[in-house]
Amino acid sequence: MIRRAHMPFPGRSCAAARRFSSAFTLLELLVVVGLIALLAGGLGFALADAGGNSLATAQSTIASLVGSARAQAAVHQTSARVYVYGLRPPNGDAGKFLRLLQVFREEPAGSGTYQAVGDAVYLPRGVYVVPPSTTGLLASGIVWPAANPGLLSTFATPQPQALRPVQPAGAAFGGAVTGYYIEFAADGTSNPAIQPYGKLVVATAALASNLPQFNNPAAVRGVLLRASGAISFVNDPASF
């Protein structure tokens, strides 16, 4: 005699299958919701940190230019400078104002004429060099610490300089430009006759009427120039 295997009641089997299918679908839904929440949180974190990444990039860019200027001075036994485009709009280029930097070397030595070395470099979009004065450059409701040491860059006295753009990259600054600069002497030290205490500060800003409006004094970075010519990174506003 052939025994048949016991088969469950068909109705019960279908009901169980439906319950299992329903539970599985609910589990899938919970997993998907959890993944969406995780991705949303990660995206929010990335967006929140975007400004910090841009500031860090700007800080590294400035440090590289400062190092290049110092090397140019020591190798060629002449003074060298890092210029920041400082010709304020509407007379100047709004896209370059406080964002364009380039190394210049005095050539020949002692002539007072400076030629471009390497390419001009832009800071990341939305990040600017904080000038010695933020008058007219602050977002509404923002108070920028101006007391010593203050979150302001320290440059040589801004004045027209004869910049000779012998390379195409030098044309970015044009001819005689009223800009900000730091200078290294022929031995590679920070020139005390020009700036006893050099400091370059970068911060985020939003454009308004072609001028940057600095908007967050709690998140700034920069570099300090020592008398020896060495630089120190500053990542905390309180350390300036």
Side-chain angles (χ1 to χ4, degrees):
M1 177 182 293
I2 300 176
R3 289 189 173 186
R4 294 187 178 183
H6 177 70
M7 297 293 293
F9 184 68
R12 182 182 302 172
S13 176
C14 290
R18 283 195 299 270
R19 285 196 301 270
F20 177 77
S21 176
S22 176
F24 185 72
T25 302
L26 179 60
L27 179 60
E28 283 184 319
L29 181 61
L30 290 174
V31 170
V32 170
V33 170
L35 287 174
I36 291 174
L38 183 62
L39 290 173
L43 178 61
F45 179 80
L47 291 175
D49 193 54
N53 288 337
S54 295
L55 286 173
T57 299
Q59 182 186 43
S60 297
T61 298
I62 287 176
S64 177
L65 291 170
V66 169
S68 176
R70 185 185 184 194
Q72 287 288 328
V75 170
H76 295 276
Q77 290 296 285
T78 186
S79 63
R81 295 170 173 174
V82 176
Y83 268 88
V84 179
Y85 187 96
L87 192 57
R88 189 172 179 140
N91 296 324
D93 189 326
K96 298 176 181 179
F97 182 57
L98 302 178
R99 282 190 62 222
L100 184 73
L101 297 90
Q102 191 165 16
V103 174
F104 284 82
R105 183 183 71 235
E106 187 181 33
E107 188 65 36
S111 66
T113 299
Y114 289 78
Q115 71 175 32
V117 178
D119 295 330
V121 178
Y122 284 89
L123 297 183
R125 189 174 300 276
V127 177
Y128 298 81
V129 174
V130 182
S133 171
T134 53
T135 301
L137 300 177
L138 293 181
S140 177
I142 296 297
V143 176
W144 205 263
N148 188 38
L151 302 182
L152 302 171
S153 297
T154 305
F155 296 103
T157 303
Q159 55 184 327
Q161 297 294 325
L163 304 181
R164 189 174 65 196
V166 295
Q167 301 295 332
F173 270 80
V177 173
T178 300
Y180 302 103
Y181 66 88
I182 58 170
E183 181 174 296
F184 290 94
D187 59 358
T189 61
S190 180
N191 192 339
I194 301 296
Q195 80 270 322
Y197 175 65
K199 176 177 57 173
L200 287 87
V201 182
V202 291
T204 59
L207 276 180
S209 300
N210 285 331
L211 288 174
Q213 303 292 300
F214 292 100
N215 50 27
N216 191 359
V220 298
R221 291 185 180 233
V223 296
L224 301 178
L225 274 69
R226 306 300 180 186
S228 64
I231 63 172
S232 298
F233 283 70
V234 181
N235 302 325
D236 179 8
S239 300
F240 282 103

